[in-house]
Amino acid sequence: MTTATTSPSAATATDRFAALYEGARAALAGSARDGEMARRDAAMARFREMGVPRRGDEEWKYTNLAGLDALPFELAGAARVVAPEAVEPALVGAGPRIVLVNGRFDERLSDATEAPAGVTVEAHVPADASVLDRCTDLAPLPFARLCEALAPTAAVVRVAPGVEAAEPIQAVFITTAGDAPVAAFPRLRVEAGAGASVTVVETHLVMGAGATVAASLTEIDAADGARVVHECTADLNESSWRLAAIVIRQARSSRVESAAVATGGGVTRHDFRASLDGPGADCALRGLAMLSRDEHVDNHLLVRHAAPECTSREFFKNVLDGSSRGVFCGRIHVDQDAQKTDGVQTNATILLSDDAEAQSRPQLEIYADDVKCTHGATVGQLDEGAVFYLRSRGLPEARARALLIDGFAGEILDAYTVAAVRDRLKSALFGPIPGGAGAA
Amino acid sequence: MPLLEIANLHVSVEGHEILKGVDLTIDTGEVHSIMGPNGSGKSTLAQVIAGHEAYEVTEGSIRFKGRDLLGMGPDERAGEGVFLAFQYPVEIPGVSTNYFLRSAVNAVREYRGQDPLDAGSFMRLVKEKAALVDMNAKLLSRAVNEGFSGGEKKRNEIFQMAMLEPTLAVLDETDSGLDIDALRIVADGVNALRGADRAFLVITHYQRLLNYIVPDHVHVLMDGRIVRSGGKDLALELEESGYGAVEPAAAG
């Protein structure tokens, strides 16, 4: 590893990240296991080769990261103490839970003692990044490499072959914002053995009002016949940059569902990558952005059908108000051998204001000749005929509009299998329901 | 005081005058029917009573229970007791009929100063009213009107009417697209709701519906004006002689 050539007052975000790494390297090395530093150095080197994407980068065409250069961020503090009461509202149930504060395992807030036999929930640095490696074959993920280099530790959920984890397992990542901007590197890894089944809820919380930059990496590895449900939510502040990669590798006949809802924040980028490596794998990705100010959410996905007879479904929706922006860029890539691929990709956006903006680019890239793939995108306004219909039944205009939005977003929200997550999202988005009872 | 009083109503859509001076008075307990050829302005009248904003009232007034109806939004009108059964009921993806109805019933109750119905009372009311129109309970858990057949949509309209207990119900070509069995079920539902404290305005192109929902008064709307009014026999007369034979001079 070369030594840092930049000072802490570095001019670009790329240099600043490099400086953070140099500053943190000694501490990371102190607790490193065999080969860990070599992997971190290699990841950092790859990040530096790519750097923070610039405007001309086609993959980042609609998400401008220039603002990061002006942010003098430091590593999120190691010694922050978070009160249990502050985390309580975000918890979804009695299942095992692991909490990382600014990238460090917080034993007091975590509770993995109840994990059933065959299920481990612990904090350690993974010995490889093979899922990420596989999922960056076709296109790189600079911030995922940055996370691989800088994440002090990771939340690791492992389910042994054949074991079904009944309760959802929750991984909570807290970033404490302060007066000065901070950078954080949340990392989650889910490994489901052959025939195993698990639901993992990934929760990101930014506490405080200051600026944060989080480069997060979620790796999901599903062995033959494994079933993984991954549901992600983020409670951010207006000055949050959330740059998240969700990378998924699926073996034969496995099923993975992954969903991410964005309801606020500053700039959010989700890079979903799935590699369907075994025949008969089934992947469902869902996303919803409901924005009302000047937030920016960019859902980028690349699903690679690398084996025959795999199924993928990608459903992404945006509801955009204020001067918010929603970007969707989805690509289904079908390898030459991936015959009988069944892929469907849709993106639908409702614009609620003249200043909101949507970009949508669904793409298919098919090298096999016997496949069934469709994609579609719609951008429109709320159906005024439906607003009138609801109002004619007595619903005040605001309630009529909210109900229509609820219905539109419902397709994504109702697919959330963890009731506590779904209900929390719904009440955050739509408020308490008059007279109680859910919408579905 | 009449329940509904329409005076010299002129209505335009995108600068096109559709209604050219409609006068119509309906008292509580009465059933009025408006008949007329296509394009005569029947549906426009229905939409204007319900408060659709695409229709511009250029002249005239509508008073409901003595109050200016045109100054109210569609939801206030519903709260006051106006109901429109749509000719083309709208599909609401992602919103279950049950949830929609409960929101609507409680919104109207709130407007009327009543407490919201709890889940138990609501379900009892649903069961009672669904029986009126033989509404399949399975439809209630489906999204509003989505994938409903034509007949199911119309039944759903009458079911909603029963749930919301309006004082004035306007039925806009509820018979269109219905086979005879569905027509009878819908008509039975309407008849069950007839009463001294409620009035109906039944808009139809054909006389057939009026065999089942027998009106007290029949009006003929042509080219934006009511050109003739009479008793229920007028409908039969129109059925025989057609709209072409209506004498505009006989208006009144």
Side-chain angles (χ1 to χ4, degrees):
Chain A
M1 181 69 195
T2 53
T3 53
T5 54
T6 52
S7 69
S9 62
T12 69
T14 303
D15 295 337
R16 196 176 300 278
F17 282 123
L20 287 189
Y21 185 68
E22 292 314 314
R25 198 176 178 284
L28 291 170
S31 59
R33 299 199 226 175
D34 284 351
E36 180 185 318
M37 290 318 292
R39 288 194 304 278
R40 287 185 186 277
D41 289 345
M44 196 62 206
R46 294 174 83 159
F47 169 74
R48 293 195 62 171
E49 277 167 30
M50 299 177 275
V52 170
R54 315 308 298 186
R55 196 69 190 222
D57 186 328
E58 190 62 20
E59 291 292 306
W60 291 80
K61 190 171 175 183
Y62 301 108
T63 297
N64 186 353
L65 298 173
L68 285 179
D69 289 339
L71 218 55
F73 48 82
E74 297 294 338
L75 277 182
R80 292 308 179 98
V81 175
V82 173
E85 305 85 74
V87 185
E88 189 71 34
L91 302 183
V92 298
R97 142 180 109 240
I98 180 166
V99 182
L100 271 64
V101 177
N102 294 338
R104 277 93 178 168
F105 177 58
D106 190 313
E107 194 174 358
R108 216 167 38 98
L109 299 175
S110 302
D111 183 5
T113 53
E114 297 296 313
V119 178
T120 59
V121 180
E122 47 184 43
H124 65 76
V125 179
D128 65 56
S130 60
V131 179
L132 178 59
D133 293 342
R134 173 61 179 154
C135 289
T136 46
D137 267 7
L138 295 175
L141 287 170
F143 294 108
R145 292 298 173 194
L146 189 61
C147 182
E148 187 191 355
L150 269 158
T153 187
V156 179
V157 175
R158 275 211 185 98
V159 185
V163 171
E164 292 188 16
E167 294 284 333
I169 294 162
Q170 190 173 15
V172 183
F173 299 91
I174 298 170
T175 303
T176 60
D179 296 334
V182 297
F185 304 93
R187 186 172 179 188
L188 168 65
R189 186 180 185 107
V190 179
E191 295 172 13
S197 170
V198 64
T199 295
V200 178
V201 176
E202 179 180 349
T203 307
H204 291 268
L205 301 175
V206 168
M207 296 188 170
T212 62
V213 184
S216 82
L217 170 60
T218 301
E219 297 162 281
I220 297 171
D221 200 357
D224 287 359
R227 310 181 80 77
V228 178
V229 174
H230 167 250
E231 303 186 342
C232 182
T233 64
D235 287 330
L236 311 171
N237 69 30
E238 296 176 16
S239 318
S240 300
W241 295 75
R242 177 167 152 68
L243 308 167
I246 297 108
V247 298
I248 300 163
R249 179 172 65 186
Q250 292 189 235
R252 176 184 295 270
S253 302
S254 61
R255 174 165 173 84
V256 174
E257 290 178 47
S258 177
V261 169
T263 55
V267 175
T268 295
R269 161 86 169 209
H270 292 128
D271 271 292
F272 286 92
R273 295 280 172 89
S275 193
L276 311 185
D277 291 351
D282 181 357
C283 177
L285 305 177
R286 297 184 193 91
L288 171 68
M290 287 193 63
L291 311 177
S292 55
R293 296 177 288 99
D294 58 350
E295 307 96 313
H296 176 104
V297 171
D298 179 350
N299 281 312
H300 244 71
L301 34 130
L302 172 51
V303 175
R304 180 177 196 176
H305 285 256
E309 291 169 14
C310 294
T311 303
S312 74
R313 296 286 180 269
E314 297 90 42
F315 298 133
F316 285 76
K317 289 190 170 185
N318 300 322
V319 179
L320 307 176
D321 203 349
S323 57
S324 63
R325 262 175 310 159
V327 180
F328 173 82
C329 196
R331 192 164 128 212
I332 297 180
H333 177 105
V334 182
D335 283 359
Q336 199 173 350
D337 297 336
Q339 301 296 358
K340 306 283 181 197
T341 285
D342 175 358
V344 177
Q345 175 178 249
T346 64
N347 173 230
T349 299
I350 288 183
L351 294 174
L352 296 177
S353 93
D354 292 342
D355 295 331
E357 235 182 87
Q359 298 289 347
S360 186
R361 282 208 309 189
Q363 295 168 279
L364 301 173
E365 201 174 326
I366 300 172
Y367 299 99
D369 51 22
D370 181 14
V371 303
K372 198 172 73 188
C373 286
T374 60
H375 65 80
T378 58
V379 178
Q381 272 114 37
L382 271 192
D383 176 359
E384 291 301 321
V387 174
F388 174 59
Y389 187 69
L390 294 177
R391 290 186 72 193
S392 80
R393 295 322 185 224
L395 292 169
E397 184 169 1
R399 289 242 291 275
R401 290 182 185 279
L403 192 61
L404 290 176
I405 294 166
D406 189 346
F408 175 80
E411 185 192 6
I412 307 295
L413 293 175
D414 291 340
Y416 268 67
T417 59
V418 181
V421 181
R422 185 178 64 234
D423 293 348
R424 226 160 49 83
L425 281 171
K426 283 198 166 188
S427 69
L429 292 170
F430 307 115
I433 290 138
Chain B
M1 179 178 62
L3 179 65
L4 182 77
E5 212 174 354
I6 299 176
N8 189 31
L9 186 70
H10 291 252
V11 175
S12 294
V13 182
E14 290 167 358
H16 232 74
E17 188 166 56
I18 309 285
L19 297 183
K20 302 169 179 173
V22 170
D23 296 287
L24 178 68
T25 300
I26 299 178
D27 281 316
T28 308
E30 293 179 342
V31 174
H32 288 242
S33 175
I34 288 193
M35 300 183 69
N38 288 330
S40 58
K42 301 189 302 289
S43 284
T44 298
L45 181 62
Q47 298 273 320
V48 167
I49 292 172
H52 198 298
E53 285 160 3
Y55 299 85
E56 191 196 350
V57 176
T58 54
E59 208 181 327
S61 66
I62 305 181
R63 304 193 77 78
F64 184 68
K65 298 176 186 167
R67 295 181 56 196
D68 173 26
L69 192 69
L70 295 175
M72 301 179 196
D75 43 309
E76 294 170 280
R77 297 182 196 201
E80 290 290 334
V82 174
F83 181 89
L84 170 64
F86 280 55
Q87 183 180 3
Y88 303 110
V90 180
E91 296 185 6
I92 315 279
V95 179
S96 78
T97 304
N98 247 327
Y99 181 74
F100 152 68
L101 264 179
R102 192 160 170 207
S103 305
V105 166
N106 281 334
V108 163
R109 289 181 68 87
E110 188 180 330
Y111 185 91
R112 295 172 188 169
Q114 299 163 318
D115 288 334
L117 288 184
D118 62 42
S121 315
F122 175 76
M123 284 321 291
R124 275 192 294 281
L125 188 67
V126 163
K127 219 174 154 185
E128 179 199 328
K129 304 296 187 187
L132 273 182
V133 285
D134 201 16
M135 182 92 178
N136 186 340
K138 277 184 194 152
L139 293 181
L140 298 177
S141 56
R142 298 230 310 255
V144 180
N145 292 326
E146 203 177 43
F148 286 30
S149 70
E152 286 168 340
K153 283 183 183 172
K154 295 301 175 78
R155 253 188 256 191
N156 193 16
E157 293 294 288
I158 303 305
F159 170 55
Q160 290 172 37
M161 178 176 83
M163 291 293 292
L164 294 172
E165 303 186 327
T167 335
L168 172 70
V170 181
L171 276 55
D172 186 8
E173 304 213 17
T174 299
D175 51 338
S176 67
L178 290 190
D179 63 28
I180 198 71
D181 292 332
L183 186 70
R184 195 172 287 140
I185 289 166
V186 163
D188 286 350
V190 170
N191 287 328
L193 295 167
R194 285 178 80 155
D197 51 359
R198 186 167 291 144
F200 289 86
L201 180 59
V202 180
I203 291 170
T204 182
H205 186 75
Y206 300 105
Q207 183 267 341
R208 191 178 64 158
L209 177 67
L210 304 182
N211 287 335
Y212 300 97
I213 304 172
V214 180
D216 303 303
H217 303 275
V218 173
H219 312 274
V220 181
L221 186 70
M222 288 180 77
D223 193 27
R225 289 185 191 89
I226 288 179
V227 294
R228 239 184 114 179
S229 294
K232 63 174 188 275
D233 295 341
L234 177 56
L236 293 168
E237 188 188 322
L238 287 169
E239 183 76 358
E240 278 183 22
S241 54
Y243 291 113
V246 175
E247 289 280 330

